[in-house]
Amino acid sequence: MSQLEEDTSWIHVLSEPHQNELKNALLQFKESVATNGLAQKVREGTLLPSKDNFILPTLGPLLEQAQLDLEEGCGVVLFQNFPLDCSEDDSRLMYGGMLSYIGTPQPQTVMGELLQPIQDEGQANLYERRGSKHHLGLPVHNDGCDVVGFLCRRTPLSGGETILASAVAIHNEMLRTCPDQLTILYQDFANAWQDYMYPEGRNTEATTLPRTWSAPVFSERDGEICCRYSRFYTDRAQNFPGVAQMSESQIDALDTFDRYINKSLESCTESFYDRV
């Protein structure tokens, strides 16, 4: 985290003209929705603005540069001064319009919602809860997409911190100190599907798809490293019949990776979160 504290080029403050662009683009998008009879899709959360119908003359290029920074830079971008003097629905649409300059939104639920609120809804059961619907902490993980984005509208009374760890930095440190264990993380591991409605991992009555999928923690292509890791679903897959049990060396490699993750977070301080 020290490098992010010293180099704040990943933090962008939206100017008043940027805010006005977002509001004007929102008005044009809503007019287009009304003209084309798409209001129901917007209400369902399955339709967001796109670059073609959410024009941002000066903010757009900054967002496109942010996309490059996420891929080739430090991997994190923060935009401050997002306009919040509007309804939650309008802020959601403006945020969706911003996202369209960075990537293609993916469904968050089986209903096809592209954005959803993160709030405690009392889902406390370990195997049935969704990470965004309870108040408990989550271990460090990444999701099955290229970019994860958050729009913060309200400051919580307590908690709610987002903790970041560099998978590439941990990879390189393991390469230096324990290369044999890193090699194991390039092997396939079985993972349970993230299906919150079915504790068994899949709706086995409606689909014949397998209840697990396999992939390595680390992979490499054209000199670029990819990391896909969520220990909870790797461990959960071990409970399903027919899934090969992990070897002691595989478990040890995952445990070592977890230790490096936790070690990388020791430098996180409250002052850092207060500042950004």
Side-chain angles (χ1 to χ4, degrees), residues 68-239:
L68 293 176
D69 292 340
L70 289 169
E71 288 285 343
E72 303 174 4
C74 64
V76 59
V77 176
L78 174 66
F79 286 95
Q80 296 179 326
N81 279 9
F82 183 90
L84 296 176
D85 53 342
C86 59
S87 68
E88 289 198 17
D89 288 339
D90 282 353
S91 64
R92 185 181 299 114
L93 291 175
M94 283 191 289
Y95 182 56
M98 285 183 60
L99 294 180
S100 70
Y101 284 78
I102 295 176
T104 302
Q106 299 298 308
Q108 301 294 306
T109 69
V110 294
M111 305 304 292
E113 295 172 276
L114 298 173
L115 293 176
Q116 67 167 191
I118 298 176
Q119 58 191 23
D120 181 15
E121 295 183 359
Q123 295 183 9
N125 183 285
L126 180 63
Y127 287 98
E128 296 178 3
R129 72 189 187 206
R130 181 162 191 175
S132 59
K133 301 303 179 185
H134 63 81
H135 67 280
L136 304 177
L138 293 176
V140 175
H141 65 283
N142 54 17
D143 295 312
C145 56
D146 293 325
V147 178
V148 175
F150 298 96
L151 170 63
C152 302
R153 280 189 57 92
R154 291 179 294 273
T155 301
L157 295 177
S158 62
E161 294 92 351
T162 296
I163 299 176
L164 305 175
S166 171
V168 174
I170 295 173
H171 172 282
N172 292 341
E173 182 64 14
M174 291 186 67
L175 179 63
R176 185 181 68 84
T177 60
C178 51
D180 291 343
Q181 290 181 313
L182 177 63
T183 298
I184 293 174
L185 297 182
Y186 274 83
Q187 300 174 0
D188 278 349
F189 288 82
N191 293 271
W193 286 102
Q194 196 178 45
D195 195 330
Y196 308 100
M197 298 179 67
Y198 302 98
E200 293 300 317
R202 276 290 194 189
N203 180 356
T204 54
E205 295 182 1
T207 179
T208 58
L209 293 173
R211 290 192 289 184
T212 62
W213 57 276
S214 295
V217 174
F218 285 111
S219 58
E220 182 272 335
R221 181 175 180 179
D222 298 331
E224 296 187 354
I225 297 172
C226 176
C227 178
R228 179 72 173 90
Y229 187 66
S230 184
R231 182 69 182 268
F232 173 80
Y233 293 101
T234 305
D235 289 341
R236 184 178 180 185
Q238 295 291 290
N239 299 323

